[in-house]
């Protein structure tokens, strides 16, 4: 998967799971401050990303994630390792 495909998939998850308006989802958007995700939402998102990648994601891998771009990068890293 390319970073663009990951971004598109992630955007779909954010709209579907958390009712984030699609126009607010940009690579620079901050997950917690701008998209109003909370820690439980983050866990739900990680579970969904595990399904996408087929890999177990350790919580510490997502501790430093702050923006949509951070999530895209982390998922891309998982898919290419």
């Amino acid at each position: 998967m390319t970073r663009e495909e990951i971004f598109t998939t992630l955007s779909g998850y954010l709209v579907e799971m958390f009712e984030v308006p699609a126009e607010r989802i940009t690579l620079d958007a901050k997950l917690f401050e701008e998209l109003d995700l909370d820690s439980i939402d983050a866990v739900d998102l990680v579970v969904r990303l595990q399904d996408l990648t087929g890999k177990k994601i350790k919580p510490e891998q997502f501790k430093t994630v702050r923006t949509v771009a951070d999530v895209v990068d982390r998922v891309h890293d998982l898919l290419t390792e």
Side-chain angles (χ1 to χ4, degrees):
M1 273 182 113
T2 65
R3 290 187 196 296
E4 190 174 300
E5 290 168 327
I6 294 166
F7 174 74
T8 300
T9 302
L10 176 61
S11 297
Y13 291 165
L14 291 169
V15 170
E16 171 195 328
M17 296 169 66
F18 311 114
E19 298 175 359
V20 175
E23 63 274 4
R24 290 180 51 203
I25 303 169
T26 64
L27 285 171
D28 294 331
K30 291 181 175 69
L31 297 171
F32 303 105
E33 295 90 343
E34 295 173 31
L35 302 183
D36 297 324
L37 268 62
D38 61 27
S39 56
I40 293 170
D41 294 337
V43 170
D44 291 341
L45 185 58
V46 167
V47 169
R48 196 71 180 269
L49 293 171
Q50 286 182 158
D51 294 341
L52 175 67
T53 62
K55 297 184 180 192
K56 182 91 173 110
I57 298 173
K58 298 181 193 90
E60 59 269 14
Q61 290 176 290
F62 271 78
K63 283 230 189 312
T64 58
V65 167
R66 296 290 173 255
T67 66
V68 171
D70 292 340
V71 177
V72 170
D73 291 343
R74 207 59 43 89
V75 171
H76 188 265
D77 292 346
L78 282 169
L79 290 170
T80 55
E81 65 183 23

